[in-house]
Amino acid sequence: MRRTVEPEILDHLSSEDPTAIASRRDLRRLNRIMGHASIITRAVRDRFPTLLSPGQPLKIAELGGGDGTLLLRLARRWSSMGIEANVQLIDRNDLLSSETLRGFSDLGWIVETKSEEVVRWMGESDDGFDLIFANLFLHHFDPSGIRSIFDSAVRRTRAFVACEPHRDPFALCASRLVGLIGCNHVTRND
């Protein structure tokens, strides 16, 4: 299928807008339904098995981390394996709630948010990470933006994992049906 990049409505709404709040709730539900925490865990375990071994705290960055709830689900899974981490959520908006922050703190994970454009952050920061991952995020970029992110990732991390929509007729049809599980008009459009 031919890929086209279009602006998403959610990217242009205030973080306090009720439809934006509802859309982020939809995204949390879709992440659970599609099993993204399991997919990311499996990808890290299968491709980078030493990362999920207890030892020194990992340095992790999530690109387009949003409200941090997916990373918290990963933290809960991984902390049960003895993994500790210092994490950065990179997103243009700081959406981390005190409840989510407390969830990380309860696990002993240290969280920092960076309210920046990801391409700029990837290109300007020299911080190194054990793992950088993105979930439902890279599809926002044209090929040159993705190339820029990948070029920066090569020098910034030992492991890069992305979980993106599958592109085939079935996935396209399923994306048109998210309203049946209660997703709002913003989520359905985006």
Side-chain angles (χ1 to χ4, degrees):
M1 297 186 72
R2 189 162 190 276
R3 181 174 175 268
T4 57
V5 178
E6 297 177 0
E8 293 191 349
I9 295 172
L10 184 57
D11 292 340
H12 302 286
L13 294 175
S14 160
S15 59
E16 294 86 28
D17 185 296
T19 55
I21 293 168
S23 185
R24 285 193 300 278
R25 185 177 53 244
D26 294 343
L27 291 172
R28 288 191 296 272
R29 185 173 350 138
L30 289 168
N31 277 321
R32 282 192 307 275
I33 290 169
M34 293 188 289
H36 285 185
S38 294
I39 291 168
I40 293 167
T41 298
R42 214 171 23 256
V44 172
R45 186 189 61 227
D46 293 351
R47 301 288 184 190
F48 312 103
T50 59
L51 286 181
L52 294 184
S53 302
Q56 293 283 54
L58 295 176
K59 280 190 71 181
I60 300 172
E62 181 181 5
L63 306 181
D67 63 10
T69 54
L70 176 65
L71 183 54
L72 179 57
R73 290 182 72 217
L74 291 171
R76 288 181 174 138
R77 287 172 182 244
W78 296 356
S79 67
S80 70
M81 296 184 255
I83 307 300
E84 296 176 352
N86 298 321
V87 299
Q88 288 187 17
L89 290 169
I90 315 331
D91 202 295
R92 28 172 101 133
N93 299 304
D94 180 356
L95 301 171
L96 190 68
S97 70
S98 57
E99 179 183 346
T100 303
L101 184 59
R102 194 170 33 259
F104 283 110
S105 180
D106 290 348
L107 299 171
W109 285 41
I110 298 167
V111 178
E112 180 182 2
T113 58
K114 298 279 188 177
S115 298
E116 295 187 43
E117 293 292 332
V118 165
V119 173
R120 183 175 345 152
W121 179 83
M122 288 291 289
E124 292 177 356
S125 175
D126 288 327
D127 294 344
F129 293 89
D130 298 299
L131 170 66
I132 295 177
F133 80 95
N135 178 64
L136 298 179
F137 182 70
L138 294 179
H139 67 273
H140 294 155
F141 297 93
D142 62 24
S144 67
I146 293 172
R147 192 173 313 104
S148 176
I149 290 170
F150 286 170
D151 288 346
S152 296
V154 165
R155 66 177 174 76
R156 307 264 320 267
T157 188
R158 295 176 20 202
F160 187 90
V161 172
C163 191
E164 287 295 320
H166 190 71
R167 300 202 180 281
D168 69 8
F170 175 77
L172 180 62
C173 179
S175 74
R176 302 286 190 241
L177 299 175
V178 297
L180 296 176
I181 60 168
C183 292
N184 74 7
H185 72 282
V186 171
T187 307
R188 290 191 310 268
N189 178 80
D190 292 355

PDB file of all heavy atoms in Angstrom, residues 109-141:
ATOM      1  N   TRP A 109      11.812   3.367  39.216  1.00  0.00           N
ATOM      2  CA  TRP A 109      12.246   3.899  37.925  1.00  0.00           C
ATOM      3  C   TRP A 109      12.246   5.424  38.003  1.00  0.00           C
ATOM      4  O   TRP A 109      11.316   6.028  38.539  1.00  0.00           O
ATOM      5  CB  TRP A 109      11.330   3.427  36.806  1.00  0.00           C
ATOM      6  CG  TRP A 109      11.540   1.997  36.403  1.00  0.00           C
ATOM      7  CD1 TRP A 109      11.768   0.926  37.226  1.00  0.00           C
ATOM      8  CD2 TRP A 109      11.522   1.483  35.076  1.00  0.00           C
ATOM      9  NE1 TRP A 109      11.887  -0.221  36.476  1.00  0.00           N
ATOM     10  CE2 TRP A 109      11.745   0.091  35.157  1.00  0.00           C
ATOM     11  CE3 TRP A 109      11.345   2.060  33.836  1.00  0.00           C
ATOM     12  CZ2 TRP A 109      11.793  -0.732  34.045  1.00  0.00           C
ATOM     13  CZ3 TRP A 109      11.383   1.241  32.717  1.00  0.00           C
ATOM     14  CH2 TRP A 109      11.614  -0.133  32.821  1.00  0.00           C
ATOM     15  N   ILE A 110      13.265   6.038  37.451  1.00  0.00           N
ATOM     16  CA  ILE A 110      13.395   7.491  37.441  1.00  0.00           C
ATOM     17  C   ILE A 110      12.951   8.006  36.072  1.00  0.00           C
ATOM     18  O   ILE A 110      13.422   7.508  35.044  1.00  0.00           O
ATOM     19  CB  ILE A 110      14.848   7.910  37.733  1.00  0.00           C
ATOM     20  CG1 ILE A 110      15.241   7.414  39.135  1.00  0.00           C
ATOM     21  CG2 ILE A 110      15.017   9.418  37.606  1.00  0.00           C
ATOM     22  CD1 ILE A 110      16.716   7.478  39.419  1.00  0.00           C
ATOM     23  N   VAL A 111      12.050   8.991  36.069  1.00  0.00           N
ATOM     24  CA  VAL A 111      11.474   9.497  34.827  1.00  0.00           C
ATOM     25  C   VAL A 111      11.765  10.974  34.658  1.00  0.00           C
ATOM     26  O   VAL A 111      11.665  11.750  35.606  1.00  0.00           O
ATOM     27  CB  VAL A 111       9.940   9.289  34.793  1.00  0.00           C
ATOM     28  CG1 VAL A 111       9.341   9.869  33.531  1.00  0.00           C
ATOM     29  CG2 VAL A 111       9.591   7.835  34.916  1.00  0.00           C
ATOM     30  N   GLU A 112      12.093  11.330  33.428  1.00  0.00           N
ATOM     31  CA  GLU A 112      12.279  12.729  33.054  1.00  0.00           C
ATOM     32  C   GLU A 112      11.510  12.957  31.759  1.00  0.00           C
ATOM     33  O   GLU A 112      11.519  12.103  30.880  1.00  0.00           O
ATOM     34  CB  GLU A 112      13.771  13.006  32.836  1.00  0.00           C
ATOM     35  CG  GLU A 112      14.094  14.413  32.456  1.00  0.00           C
ATOM     36  CD  GLU A 112      15.591  14.608  32.219  1.00  0.00           C
ATOM     37  OE1 GLU A 112      16.365  13.641  32.312  1.00  0.00           O
ATOM     38  OE2 GLU A 112      15.963  15.756  31.918  1.00  0.00           O
ATOM     39  N   THR A 113      10.819  14.078  31.677  1.00  0.00           N
ATOM     40  CA  THR A 113      10.129  14.403  30.427  1.00  0.00           C
ATOM     41  C   THR A 113      10.908  15.486  29.698  1.00  0.00           C
ATOM     42  O   THR A 113      11.496  16.365  30.322  1.00  0.00           O
ATOM     43  CB  THR A 113       8.686  14.886  30.681  1.00  0.00           C
ATOM     44  OG1 THR A 113       8.714  16.023  31.532  1.00  0.00           O
ATOM     45  CG2 THR A 113       7.846  13.785  31.312  1.00  0.00           C
ATOM     46  N   LYS A 114      10.909  15.377  28.379  1.00  0.00           N
ATOM     47  CA  LYS A 114      11.536  16.385  27.521  1.00  0.00           C
ATOM     48  C   LYS A 114      10.465  16.868  26.556  1.00  0.00           C
ATOM     49  O   LYS A 114      10.017  16.114  25.697  1.00  0.00           O
ATOM     50  CB  LYS A 114      12.699  15.794  26.717  1.00  0.00           C
ATOM     51  CG  LYS A 114      13.831  15.267  27.549  1.00  0.00           C
ATOM     52  CD  LYS A 114      14.726  16.387  27.976  1.00  0.00           C
ATOM     53  CE  LYS A 114      15.970  15.822  28.643  1.00  0.00           C
ATOM     54  NZ  LYS A 114      16.902  16.817  29.026  1.00  0.00           N
ATOM     55  N   SER A 115      10.032  18.116  26.704  1.00  0.00           N
ATOM     56  CA  SER A 115       9.020  18.690  25.820  1.00  0.00           C
ATOM     57  C   SER A 115       9.723  19.296  24.615  1.00  0.00           C
ATOM     58  O   SER A 115      10.049  20.493  24.611  1.00  0.00           O
ATOM     59  CB  SER A 115       8.199  19.744  26.567  1.00  0.00           C
ATOM     60  OG  SER A 115       7.527  19.163  27.644  1.00  0.00           O
ATOM     61  N   GLU A 116       9.985  18.468  23.632  1.00  0.00           N
ATOM     62  CA  GLU A 116      10.712  18.894  22.438  1.00  0.00           C
ATOM     63  C   GLU A 116      10.207  18.141  21.215  1.00  0.00           C
ATOM     64  O   GLU A 116       9.606  17.085  21.329  1.00  0.00           O
ATOM     65  CB  GLU A 116      12.211  18.588  22.588  1.00  0.00           C
ATOM     66  CG  GLU A 116      12.900  19.363  23.686  1.00  0.00           C
ATOM     67  CD  GLU A 116      14.404  19.145  23.667  1.00  0.00           C
ATOM     68  OE1 GLU A 116      14.989  19.152  22.563  1.00  0.00           O
ATOM     69  OE2 GLU A 116      14.965  18.962  24.742  1.00  0.00           O
ATOM     70  N   GLU A 117      10.518  18.694  20.065  1.00  0.00           N
ATOM     71  CA  GLU A 117      10.293  17.985  18.811  1.00  0.00           C
ATOM     72  C   GLU A 117      11.322  16.870  18.734  1.00  0.00           C
ATOM     73  O   GLU A 117      12.511  17.095  18.962  1.00  0.00           O
ATOM     74  CB  GLU A 117      10.434  18.931  17.617  1.00  0.00           C
ATOM     75  CG  GLU A 117       9.359  19.986  17.527  1.00  0.00           C
ATOM     76  CD  GLU A 117       7.991  19.410  17.206  1.00  0.00           C
ATOM     77  OE1 GLU A 117       7.900  18.349  16.558  1.00  0.00           O
ATOM     78  OE2 GLU A 117       6.997  20.032  17.626  1.00  0.00           O
ATOM     79  N   VAL A 118      10.890  15.677  18.421  1.00  0.00           N
ATOM     80  CA  VAL A 118      11.757  14.507  18.453  1.00  0.00           C
ATOM     81  C   VAL A 118      12.938  14.623  17.491  1.00  0.00           C
ATOM     82  O   VAL A 118      14.073  14.311  17.858  1.00  0.00           O
ATOM     83  CB  VAL A 118      10.938  13.219  18.168  1.00  0.00           C
ATOM     84  CG1 VAL A 118      11.845  12.050  17.842  1.00  0.00           C
ATOM     85  CG2 VAL A 118      10.061  12.904  19.365  1.00  0.00           C
ATOM     86  N   VAL A 119      12.721  15.066  16.270  1.00  0.00           N
ATOM     87  CA  VAL A 119      13.819  15.148  15.296  1.00  0.00           C
ATOM     88  C   VAL A 119      14.902  16.091  15.814  1.00  0.00           C
ATOM     89  O   VAL A 119      16.097  15.781  15.739  1.00  0.00           O
ATOM     90  CB  VAL A 119      13.311  15.576  13.902  1.00  0.00           C
ATOM     91  CG1 VAL A 119      14.472  15.830  12.955  1.00  0.00           C
ATOM     92  CG2 VAL A 119      12.379  14.520  13.324  1.00  0.00           C
ATOM     93  N   ARG A 120      14.502  17.211  16.380  1.00  0.00           N
ATOM     94  CA  ARG A 120      15.474  18.157  16.938  1.00  0.00           C
ATOM     95  C   ARG A 120      16.211  17.517  18.112  1.00  0.00           C
ATOM     96  O   ARG A 120      17.427  17.582  18.210  1.00  0.00           O
ATOM     97  CB  ARG A 120      14.791  19.447  17.378  1.00  0.00           C
ATOM     98  CG  ARG A 120      15.770  20.480  17.900  1.00  0.00           C
ATOM     99  CD  ARG A 120      15.097  21.785  18.207  1.00  0.00           C
ATOM    100  NE  ARG A 120      13.789  21.774  17.577  1.00  0.00           N
ATOM    101  CZ  ARG A 120      12.722  22.426  17.984  1.00  0.00           C
ATOM    102  NH1 ARG A 120      12.771  23.213  18.968  1.00  0.00           N
ATOM    103  NH2 ARG A 120      11.563  22.346  17.390  1.00  0.00           N
ATOM    104  N   TRP A 121      15.463  16.908  19.037  1.00  0.00           N
ATOM    105  CA  TRP A 121      16.067  16.272  20.200  1.00  0.00           C
ATOM    106  C   TRP A 121      17.056  15.181  19.776  1.00  0.00           C
ATOM    107  O   TRP A 121      18.159  15.099  20.317  1.00  0.00           O
ATOM    108  CB  TRP A 121      14.984  15.696  21.107  1.00  0.00           C
ATOM    109  CG  TRP A 121      15.529  15.001  22.311  1.00  0.00           C
ATOM    110  CD1 TRP A 121      15.914  15.572  23.490  1.00  0.00           C
ATOM    111  CD2 TRP A 121      15.762  13.605  22.452  1.00  0.00           C
ATOM    112  NE1 TRP A 121      16.378  14.616  24.349  1.00  0.00           N
ATOM    113  CE2 TRP A 121      16.293  13.391  23.739  1.00  0.00           C
ATOM    114  CE3 TRP A 121      15.579  12.508  21.617  1.00  0.00           C
ATOM    115  CZ2 TRP A 121      16.632  12.134  24.212  1.00  0.00           C
ATOM    116  CZ3 TRP A 121      15.921  11.251  22.077  1.00  0.00           C
ATOM    117  CH2 TRP A 121      16.444  11.078  23.364  1.00  0.00           C
ATOM    118  N   MET A 122      16.656  14.367  18.819  1.00  0.00           N
ATOM    119  CA  MET A 122      17.542  13.291  18.353  1.00  0.00           C
ATOM    120  C   MET A 122      18.824  13.858  17.758  1.00  0.00           C
ATOM    121  O   MET A 122      19.894  13.304  17.952  1.00  0.00           O
ATOM    122  CB  MET A 122      16.839  12.414  17.312  1.00  0.00           C
ATOM    123  CG  MET A 122      15.761  11.506  17.862  1.00  0.00           C
ATOM    124  SD  MET A 122      16.357  10.168  18.890  1.00  0.00           S
ATOM    125  CE  MET A 122      17.156   9.110  17.687  1.00  0.00           C
ATOM    126  N   GLY A 123      18.722  14.966  17.049  1.00  0.00           N
ATOM    127  CA  GLY A 123      19.880  15.535  16.380  1.00  0.00           C
ATOM    128  C   GLY A 123      20.786  16.363  17.280  1.00  0.00           C
ATOM    129  O   GLY A 123      21.981  16.464  17.029  1.00  0.00           O
ATOM    130  N   GLU A 124      20.212  16.942  18.342  1.00  0.00           N
ATOM    131  CA  GLU A 124      20.987  17.875  19.157  1.00  0.00           C
ATOM    132  C   GLU A 124      21.571  17.259  20.419  1.00  0.00           C
ATOM    133  O   GLU A 124      22.647  17.639  20.849  1.00  0.00           O
ATOM    134  CB  GLU A 124      20.117  19.076  19.543  1.00  0.00           C
ATOM    135  CG  GLU A 124      19.772  19.951  18.363  1.00  0.00           C
ATOM    136  CD  GLU A 124      18.859  21.104  18.734  1.00  0.00           C
ATOM    137  OE1 GLU A 124      18.422  21.194  19.905  1.00  0.00           O
ATOM    138  OE2 GLU A 124      18.567  21.916  17.847  1.00  0.00           O
ATOM    139  N   SER A 125      20.871  16.348  21.040  1.00  0.00           N
ATOM    140  CA  SER A 125      21.335  15.778  22.297  1.00  0.00           C
ATOM    141  C   SER A 125      22.421  14.742  22.040  1.00  0.00           C
ATOM    142  O   SER A 125      22.411  14.046  21.025  1.00  0.00           O
ATOM    143  CB  SER A 125      20.159  15.122  23.026  1.00  0.00           C
ATOM    144  OG  SER A 125      20.611  14.472  24.187  1.00  0.00           O
ATOM    145  N   ASP A 126      23.365  14.652  22.960  1.00  0.00           N
ATOM    146  CA  ASP A 126      24.422  13.659  22.843  1.00  0.00           C
ATOM    147  C   ASP A 126      24.247  12.522  23.838  1.00  0.00           C
ATOM    148  O   ASP A 126      25.113  11.664  23.947  1.00  0.00           O
ATOM    149  CB  ASP A 126      25.796  14.321  23.059  1.00  0.00           C
ATOM    150  CG  ASP A 126      26.190  15.200  21.895  1.00  0.00           C
ATOM    151  OD1 ASP A 126      25.817  14.871  20.753  1.00  0.00           O
ATOM    152  OD2 ASP A 126      26.856  16.224  22.129  1.00  0.00           O
ATOM    153  N   ASP A 127      23.141  12.534  24.597  1.00  0.00           N
ATOM    154  CA  ASP A 127      22.914  11.474  25.570  1.00  0.00           C
ATOM    155  C   ASP A 127      22.892  10.122  24.872  1.00  0.00           C
ATOM    156  O   ASP A 127      22.329   9.986  23.790  1.00  0.00           O
ATOM    157  CB  ASP A 127      21.564  11.661  26.281  1.00  0.00           C
ATOM    158  CG  ASP A 127      21.527  12.900  27.152  1.00  0.00           C
ATOM    159  OD1 ASP A 127      22.608  13.441  27.454  1.00  0.00           O
ATOM    160  OD2 ASP A 127      20.427  13.325  27.529  1.00  0.00           O
ATOM    161  N   GLY A 128      23.483   9.141  25.510  1.00  0.00           N
ATOM    162  CA  GLY A 128      23.442   7.780  24.994  1.00  0.00           C
ATOM    163  C   GLY A 128      22.409   6.964  25.757  1.00  0.00           C
ATOM    164  O   GLY A 128      22.157   7.210  26.942  1.00  0.00           O
ATOM    165  N   PHE A 129      21.807   5.993  25.091  1.00  0.00           N
ATOM    166  CA  PHE A 129      20.763   5.177  25.695  1.00  0.00           C
ATOM    167  C   PHE A 129      21.008   3.704  25.390  1.00  0.00           C
ATOM    168  O   PHE A 129      21.565   3.366  24.349  1.00  0.00           O
ATOM    169  CB  PHE A 129      19.379   5.583  25.156  1.00  0.00           C
ATOM    170  CG  PHE A 129      18.970   6.953  25.588  1.00  0.00           C
ATOM    171  CD1 PHE A 129      19.322   8.058  24.824  1.00  0.00           C
ATOM    172  CD2 PHE A 129      18.268   7.145  26.760  1.00  0.00           C
ATOM    173  CE1 PHE A 129      18.973   9.331  25.229  1.00  0.00           C
ATOM    174  CE2 PHE A 129      17.920   8.420  27.180  1.00  0.00           C
ATOM    175  CZ  PHE A 129      18.269   9.518  26.405  1.00  0.00           C
ATOM    176  N   ASP A 130      20.551   2.864  26.296  1.00  0.00           N
ATOM    177  CA  ASP A 130      20.579   1.427  26.041  1.00  0.00           C
ATOM    178  C   ASP A 130      19.482   1.060  25.048  1.00  0.00           C
ATOM    179  O   ASP A 130      19.653   0.170  24.221  1.00  0.00           O
ATOM    180  CB  ASP A 130      20.374   0.650  27.347  1.00  0.00           C
ATOM    181  CG  ASP A 130      21.478   0.914  28.341  1.00  0.00           C
ATOM    182  OD1 ASP A 130      22.638   0.614  28.015  1.00  0.00           O
ATOM    183  OD2 ASP A 130      21.181   1.451  29.428  1.00  0.00           O
ATOM    184  N   LEU A 131      18.343   1.756  25.163  1.00  0.00           N
ATOM    185  CA  LEU A 131      17.187   1.470  24.310  1.00  0.00           C
ATOM    186  C   LEU A 131      16.452   2.767  24.007  1.00  0.00           C
ATOM    187  O   LEU A 131      16.169   3.544  24.914  1.00  0.00           O
ATOM    188  CB  LEU A 131      16.224   0.504  25.024  1.00  0.00           C
ATOM    189  CG  LEU A 131      14.854   0.279  24.390  1.00  0.00           C
ATOM    190  CD1 LEU A 131      14.986  -0.420  23.035  1.00  0.00           C
ATOM    191  CD2 LEU A 131      13.952  -0.520  25.321  1.00  0.00           C
ATOM    192  N   ILE A 132      16.154   2.969  22.747  1.00  0.00           N
ATOM    193  CA  ILE A 132      15.222   4.017  22.324  1.00  0.00           C
ATOM    194  C   ILE A 132      14.101   3.280  21.609  1.00  0.00           C
ATOM    195  O   ILE A 132      14.355   2.404  20.775  1.00  0.00           O
ATOM    196  CB  ILE A 132      15.872   5.045  21.376  1.00  0.00           C
ATOM    197  CG1 ILE A 132      16.971   5.826  22.108  1.00  0.00           C
ATOM    198  CG2 ILE A 132      14.818   6.005  20.821  1.00  0.00           C
ATOM    199  CD1 ILE A 132      17.727   6.820  21.230  1.00  0.00           C
ATOM    200  N   PHE A 133      12.860   3.613  21.958  1.00  0.00           N
ATOM    201  CA  PHE A 133      11.750   2.982  21.247  1.00  0.00           C
ATOM    202  C   PHE A 133      10.672   4.007  20.919  1.00  0.00           C
ATOM    203  O   PHE A 133      10.612   5.090  21.489  1.00  0.00           O
ATOM    204  CB  PHE A 133      11.193   1.782  22.027  1.00  0.00           C
ATOM    205  CG  PHE A 133      10.262   2.119  23.152  1.00  0.00           C
ATOM    206  CD1 PHE A 133       8.887   2.127  22.963  1.00  0.00           C
ATOM    207  CD2 PHE A 133      10.758   2.403  24.416  1.00  0.00           C
ATOM    208  CE1 PHE A 133       8.026   2.418  23.998  1.00  0.00           C
ATOM    209  CE2 PHE A 133       9.904   2.703  25.464  1.00  0.00           C
ATOM    210  CZ  PHE A 133       8.539   2.706  25.248  1.00  0.00           C
ATOM    211  N   ALA A 134       9.863   3.637  19.952  1.00  0.00           N
ATOM    212  CA  ALA A 134       8.751   4.472  19.503  1.00  0.00           C
ATOM    213  C   ALA A 134       7.544   3.570  19.283  1.00  0.00           C
ATOM    214  O   ALA A 134       7.685   2.452  18.786  1.00  0.00           O
ATOM    215  CB  ALA A 134       9.115   5.187  18.207  1.00  0.00           C
ATOM    216  N   ASN A 135       6.387   4.061  19.645  1.00  0.00           N
ATOM    217  CA  ASN A 135       5.147   3.306  19.484  1.00  0.00           C
ATOM    218  C   ASN A 135       4.118   4.191  18.785  1.00  0.00           C
ATOM    219  O   ASN A 135       3.803   5.276  19.284  1.00  0.00           O
ATOM    220  CB  ASN A 135       4.621   2.870  20.858  1.00  0.00           C
ATOM    221  CG  ASN A 135       3.321   2.130  20.747  1.00  0.00           C
ATOM    222  OD1 ASN A 135       3.259   1.056  20.164  1.00  0.00           O
ATOM    223  ND2 ASN A 135       2.261   2.706  21.272  1.00  0.00           N
ATOM    224  N   LEU A 136       3.624   3.723  17.654  1.00  0.00           N
ATOM    225  CA  LEU A 136       2.627   4.473  16.872  1.00  0.00           C
ATOM    226  C   LEU A 136       3.070   5.917  16.680  1.00  0.00           C
ATOM    227  O   LEU A 136       2.305   6.854  16.890  1.00  0.00           O
ATOM    228  CB  LEU A 136       1.253   4.427  17.546  1.00  0.00           C
ATOM    229  CG  LEU A 136       0.617   3.058  17.694  1.00  0.00           C
ATOM    230  CD1 LEU A 136      -0.724   3.159  18.405  1.00  0.00           C
ATOM    231  CD2 LEU A 136       0.457   2.371  16.342  1.00  0.00           C
ATOM    232  N   PHE A 137       4.317   6.092  16.286  1.00  0.00           N
ATOM    233  CA  PHE A 137       4.879   7.428  16.206  1.00  0.00           C
ATOM    234  C   PHE A 137       5.607   7.714  14.897  1.00  0.00           C
ATOM    235  O   PHE A 137       5.449   8.782  14.311  1.00  0.00           O
ATOM    236  CB  PHE A 137       5.827   7.660  17.392  1.00  0.00           C
ATOM    237  CG  PHE A 137       6.423   9.028  17.435  1.00  0.00           C
ATOM    238  CD1 PHE A 137       5.652  10.129  17.736  1.00  0.00           C
ATOM    239  CD2 PHE A 137       7.762   9.219  17.155  1.00  0.00           C
ATOM    240  CE1 PHE A 137       6.196  11.404  17.764  1.00  0.00           C
ATOM    241  CE2 PHE A 137       8.317  10.483  17.182  1.00  0.00           C
ATOM    242  CZ  PHE A 137       7.527  11.577  17.487  1.00  0.00           C
ATOM    243  N   LEU A 138       6.405   6.796  14.420  1.00  0.00           N
ATOM    244  CA  LEU A 138       7.233   7.066  13.238  1.00  0.00           C
ATOM    245  C   LEU A 138       6.405   7.318  11.985  1.00  0.00           C
ATOM    246  O   LEU A 138       6.874   7.996  11.073  1.00  0.00           O
ATOM    247  CB  LEU A 138       8.221   5.920  12.995  1.00  0.00           C
ATOM    248  CG  LEU A 138       9.290   5.733  14.064  1.00  0.00           C
ATOM    249  CD1 LEU A 138      10.186   4.559  13.716  1.00  0.00           C
ATOM    250  CD2 LEU A 138      10.103   7.003  14.268  1.00  0.00           C
ATOM    251  N   HIS A 139       5.187   6.809  11.948  1.00  0.00           N
ATOM    252  CA  HIS A 139       4.350   7.024  10.764  1.00  0.00           C
ATOM    253  C   HIS A 139       3.969   8.498  10.586  1.00  0.00           C
ATOM    254  O   HIS A 139       3.456   8.878   9.542  1.00  0.00           O
ATOM    255  CB  HIS A 139       3.103   6.131  10.808  1.00  0.00           C
ATOM    256  CG  HIS A 139       2.154   6.478  11.906  1.00  0.00           C
ATOM    257  ND1 HIS A 139       2.278   5.950  13.173  1.00  0.00           N
ATOM    258  CD2 HIS A 139       1.080   7.294  11.929  1.00  0.00           C
ATOM    259  CE1 HIS A 139       1.306   6.429  13.929  1.00  0.00           C
ATOM    260  NE2 HIS A 139       0.564   7.243  13.200  1.00  0.00           N
ATOM    261  N   HIS A 140       4.260   9.338  11.580  1.00  0.00           N
ATOM    262  CA  HIS A 140       4.000  10.779  11.455  1.00  0.00           C
ATOM    263  C   HIS A 140       4.997  11.480  10.552  1.00  0.00           C
ATOM    264  O   HIS A 140       4.784  12.634  10.181  1.00  0.00           O
ATOM    265  CB  HIS A 140       4.071  11.469  12.821  1.00  0.00           C
ATOM    266  CG  HIS A 140       3.003  11.051  13.770  1.00  0.00           C
ATOM    267  ND1 HIS A 140       3.154  11.139  15.126  1.00  0.00           N
ATOM    268  CD2 HIS A 140       1.780  10.546  13.571  1.00  0.00           C
ATOM    269  CE1 HIS A 140       2.061  10.710  15.718  1.00  0.00           C
ATOM    270  NE2 HIS A 140       1.213  10.337  14.785  1.00  0.00           N
ATOM    271  N   PHE A 141       6.097  10.807  10.216  1.00  0.00           N
ATOM    272  CA  PHE A 141       7.200  11.456   9.522  1.00  0.00           C
ATOM    273  C   PHE A 141       7.314  11.019   8.074  1.00  0.00           C
ATOM    274  O   PHE A 141       7.033   9.867   7.735  1.00  0.00           O
ATOM    275  CB  PHE A 141       8.525  11.150  10.241  1.00  0.00           C
ATOM    276  CG  PHE A 141       8.564  11.700  11.629  1.00  0.00           C
ATOM    277  CD1 PHE A 141       8.173  10.930  12.708  1.00  0.00           C
ATOM    278  CD2 PHE A 141       8.956  13.014  11.855  1.00  0.00           C
ATOM    279  CE1 PHE A 141       8.181  11.445  13.990  1.00  0.00           C
ATOM    280  CE2 PHE A 141       8.965  13.531  13.133  1.00  0.00           C
ATOM    281  CZ  PHE A 141       8.576  12.745  14.198  1.00  0.00           C
TER     282      PHE A 141
END
